[in-house]
Amino acid sequence: MSENAGKVFFVTGGSSGVGAAIVRTAALAGHRVAVVARDRSRLESSTIGIPENQILTLTADVSEWDDMRGAVDATIQRFGRIDVAVANAGVAQSVSFFGKGGVSPDDWDKMVSTNVLGSALTARATLPVLAEHTGQLIFVGSIGGRITRPGLYSPTKWAVTAMAASIRAEAVGSGVRVMVVQPGVIDTESLRGDLKERASLAPETVADTILYAVNQPHGVDINEIVIRPTGQPADC
């Protein structure tokens, strides 16, 4: 058995889109998966068909420290370890700083708390466990974290890019690998209407990219992968 077989994954935001694709791709490859999401019914629906001995569904809010600590504890109790933590949970909202449409400032905290604080708490909850097994922390960012787009979503994903670099610096000597994957347009249910006619990536393509990084020998640390659908302009 190779060093990359039979790992334990911990995936946030796993009830739909890229998260659900990561869960299924990892399970199909023979890994065990603890999957975290806020909606219990969607979580259970998205994991139908995955063998019970490979899956653990956990209801938690990534922006709540007690929730994340409890989810990690439950994973250790069930599977005994975590080898790969994927901070995938995210919210995309349209925001105008000039007040020209988009969600009200009263609702901005949801995106910031999920995308930034949620990623940070996922890292904090899993890194001590990952260090015990020279594991891997993976952030699902966005091409919006490599280019500048109007609104608030892009700044939150820039924060994720910076967070990955900061943690990677602290992780030197621990054996933990840290990566951020920056996808372009993805064909999910949350895709904005103005993007639906553009070329897009299937969620499974992003999941396959993550598994590619996980499957590298432990001495290989892929820090960042930018992946766009063919034809997506470099500035969007």
Side-chain angles (χ1 to χ4, degrees), residues 13-34:
S15 63
S16 63
V18 171
I22 295 168
V23 171
R24 290 196 167 276
T25 300
L28 187 62
H31 304 295
R32 293 169 290 171
V33 186

Side-chain angles (χ1 to χ4, degrees), residues 46 111 154 183:
S46 69
M111 184 159 54
S154 184

Side-chain angles (χ1 to χ4, degrees), residues 16-230:
S16 63
V18 171
I22 295 168
V23 171
R24 290 196 167 276
T25 300
L28 187 62
H31 304 295
R32 293 169 290 171
V33 186
V35 53
V36 176
R38 288 180 295 187
D39 189 317
R40 166 57 61 179
S41 61
R42 295 187 68 182
L43 188 56
E44 293 179 346
S45 177
S46 69
T47 56
I48 290 174
I50 299 176
E52 289 186 8
N53 66 335
Q54 283 185 262
I55 195 74
L56 172 64
T57 56
L58 299 164
T59 305
D61 184 336
V62 296
S63 66
E64 295 291 338
W65 171 239
D66 286 344
D67 280 15
M68 294 311 297
R69 184 168 52 183
V72 168
D73 288 346
T75 302
I76 299 304
Q77 184 176 2
R78 172 70 181 278
F79 294 134
R81 60 192 291 149
I82 297 174
D83 299 290
V84 181
V86 185
N88 166 74
V91 173
Q93 296 174 318
S94 176
V95 165
S96 169
F97 287 104
F98 282 86
K100 298 178 179 179
V103 299
S104 166
D106 290 334
D107 296 321
W108 290 4
D109 60 328
K110 180 181 179 182
M111 184 159 54
V112 175
S113 64
T114 301
N115 297 1
V116 183
L117 180 60
S119 295
L121 294 183
T122 300
R124 175 61 182 84
T126 59
L127 276 166
V129 183
L130 293 172
E132 293 177 4
H133 305 286
T134 57
Q136 188 168 14
L137 174 64
I138 298 174
F139 293 96
V140 178
S142 165
I143 196 63
R146 298 299 303 164
I147 63 174
T148 301
R149 287 176 173 166
L152 187 56
Y153 178 76
S154 184
T156 67
K157 289 303 184 177
W158 272 98
V160 171
T161 300
M163 191 183 307
S166 177
I167 293 172
R168 190 177 304 115
E170 186 179 354
V172 171
S174 71
V176 174
R177 298 187 290 174
V178 181
M179 185 188 87
V180 57
V181 58
Q182 313 277 28
V185 178
I186 307 173
D187 184 12
T188 65
E189 61 186 39
S190 62
L191 184 63
R192 297 199 324 259
D194 60 315
L195 297 177
K196 291 185 181 296
E197 300 303 318
R198 294 188 181 183
S200 60
L201 300 168
E204 291 75 16
T205 300
V206 181
D208 287 342
T209 300
I210 288 172
L211 264 291
Y212 165 78
V214 169
N215 288 333
Q216 297 308 301
H218 183 74
V220 177
D221 185 6
I222 298 176
N223 293 172
E224 182 176 1
I225 294 180
V226 176
I227 175 173
R228 290 182 173 96
T230 301

